[in-house]
Amino acid sequence: MNLKNKTQVSMFEFSGLSDDKELTPFLFMLFLFVYIVSICGNSGMMTIVYISPSLHTPMYYFLSYLSMVDLFYSSVIAPKMLSDLLSDRKLITFLGCALQFYFFSAMIGTELLVLSIMAYDRYVAICRPLHYILIMTKKKCLSLVLLTLSMGFLHSVAQTVSLFSLEYCKSNFIDHFYCDIPPLVRLSCSETRTCTIVTLFFVCLFTISSTMTILVSYTLIISSILRINSVAGRRKAFSTCSSHLTCATIFYGTIYLNYLTPSSSSHKKQEKVFSVLYAVVTPMLNPLIYSLRNQEVKRAIMQVQKGHNEHI
């Protein structure tokens, strides 16, 4: 498909995060800090899982994969956003915009599916503990990871083609800080019905199916936990789920608020806020939540630190 024949626009210009010049230095320092913490946190989480034998289980295998996805998808948006905060004109080429959206959409779709298979893993561990090792084999875990990755990139191909096949022949000004569906659809001067249908189909397919997987899994998990006689047993069972449930709630909540809220002039500012939350802030929060709330991760970190100190 020759995209150049479909459009008269070769460059797009972002509005950026804020028009307030005095606020820009603060925003730059804030989000630079958030991005650095995100890189260190997710890289650290993958390293801890890799070097700690106690974390060589399906639950932490999926967690390290989640950290990898967070690391990549925050890096698709944050560096360009940070450089634009220091620039007078926030420009991106048509191809650059398409590539940014493609990889971001792929990582978002993958993360949705990863969070749902993590819920399934917790369901098997708590509701079918005797069969856990037989069900969650290394081969099955790898297959689930490859399935989520392939589905994430395949859905992104469809969304990218439908979005960038639209004609952008008038304004090239994107009222946002990265290439996303709502601002680009508003900018198009051609019929957007097909693109809207494709978007709704994939948003509903990924968000609703993964949300239902999580809801059904946790309904069964809570039912199983309530049947445990000891308070300590119930607390331990729920503690293994609380970190994942917190991460999933934050991520899904911001996505639903952003994509399923009716479009309006006032919504454009909210759109930026929600986008910052799930595109930049959430990748930082996930490893922090697991580090602070998960006892096994805490113990693994302390053991690594102890071993490092002894080595010194």
Side-chain angles (χ1 to χ4, degrees):
M1 181 177 291
N2 189 350
L3 295 177
K4 291 184 179 180
N5 291 336
K6 292 284 185 179
T7 181
Q8 297 175 9
V9 172
S10 60
M11 299 285 291
F12 290 111
E13 183 173 0
F14 296 126
S15 63
L17 280 174
S18 174
D19 297 326
D20 190 341
K21 297 292 184 181
E22 295 181 357
L23 189 61
T24 299
F26 169 75
L27 290 175
F28 177 81
M29 294 304 298
L30 173 64
F31 290 115
L32 178 61
F33 172 76
V34 168
Y35 183 51
I36 291 172
V37 173
S38 179
I39 291 175
C40 294
N42 287 295
S43 300
M45 184 61 72
M46 288 188 288
T47 303
I48 288 292
V49 171
Y50 180 76
I51 66 177
S52 301
S54 62
L55 301 183
H56 290 176
T57 63
M59 174 182 175
Y60 297 105
Y61 173 71
F62 293 134
L63 175 58
S64 64
Y65 181 50
L66 178 69
S67 293
M68 184 187 72
V69 173
D70 282 337
L71 184 63
F72 277 107
Y73 100 70
S74 64
S75 297
V76 174
I77 301 299
K80 174 62 176 169
M81 182 190 74
L82 289 168
S83 67
D84 284 346
L85 283 168
L86 302 178
S87 305
D88 292 329
R89 296 194 68 190
K90 304 160 180 57
L91 299 173
I92 189 170
T93 64
F94 184 87
L95 178 60
C97 188
L99 288 172
Q100 185 188 60
F101 174 78
Y102 171 71
F103 286 108
F104 184 66
S105 176
M107 291 297 101
I108 288 289
T110 302
E111 175 128 346
L112 287 167
L113 296 176
V114 172
L115 288 168
S116 65
I117 63 173
M118 289 176 76
Y120 171 72
D121 172 71
R122 290 299 82 208
Y123 155 73
V124 177
I126 293 172
C127 299
R128 303 185 65 185
L130 298 178
H131 300 92
Y132 183 68
I133 297 175
L134 296 174
I135 295 173
M136 302 305 294
T137 61
K138 288 184 178 180
K139 184 177 180 181
K140 184 170 185 178
C141 290
L142 178 60
S143 299
L144 287 170
V145 163
L146 293 176
L147 179 64
T148 60
L149 193 62
S150 59
M151 288 183 67
F153 276 93
L154 284 173
H155 109 274
S156 186
V157 168
Q159 292 225 73
T160 303
V161 169
S162 66
L163 183 60
F164 288 90
S165 294
L166 298 175
E167 294 180 24
Y168 301 95
C169 50
K170 294 180 182 178
S171 173
N172 70 336
F173 187 75
I174 300 175
D175 190 11
H176 209 32
F177 62 93
Y178 69 91
C179 296
D180 200 8
I181 297 168
L184 281 167
V185 167
R186 289 194 294 265
L187 195 65
S188 175
C189 58
S190 61
E191 176 59 51
T192 61
R193 170 179 273 187
T194 301
C195 179
T196 302
I197 291 172
V198 170
T199 300
L200 285 174
F201 172 76
F202 282 108
V203 168
C204 291
L205 176 65
F206 275 68
T207 57
I208 293 175
S209 62
S210 55
T211 300
M212 289 304 298
T213 301
I214 291 174
L215 289 176
V216 171
S217 296
Y218 275 102
T219 299
L220 296 171
I221 287 169
I222 292 170
S223 176
S224 181
I225 289 174
L226 292 176
R227 290 197 297 268
I228 298 174
N229 293 326
S230 68
V231 175
R234 288 198 296 268
R235 187 180 294 113
K236 183 180 179 181
F238 187 73
S239 68
T240 63
C241 304
S242 60
S243 300
H244 171 262
L245 196 56
T246 302
C247 293
T249 300
I250 294 171
F251 188 70
Y252 280 81
T254 51
I255 284 184
Y256 276 120
L257 287 170
N258 190 37
Y259 287 104
L260 301 182
T261 303
S263 180
S264 64
S265 57
S266 62
H267 176 59
K268 291 179 184 179
K269 291 183 179 179
Q270 297 173 13
E271 195 175 87
K272 289 185 181 181
V273 173
F274 295 140
S275 296
V276 166
L277 286 175
Y278 74 75
V280 182
V281 178
T282 300
M284 176 195 71
L285 291 178
N286 286 347
L288 292 179
I289 290 169
Y290 271 94
S291 299
L292 295 172
R293 296 181 65 89
N294 190 288
Q295 295 301 320
E296 290 185 18
V297 173
K298 282 184 182 179
R299 282 195 293 270
I301 292 172
M302 291 174 66
Q303 287 172 359
V304 170
Q305 288 177 337
K306 184 179 178 181
H308 177 70
N309 292 335
E310 290 176 352
H311 180 72
I312 293 175

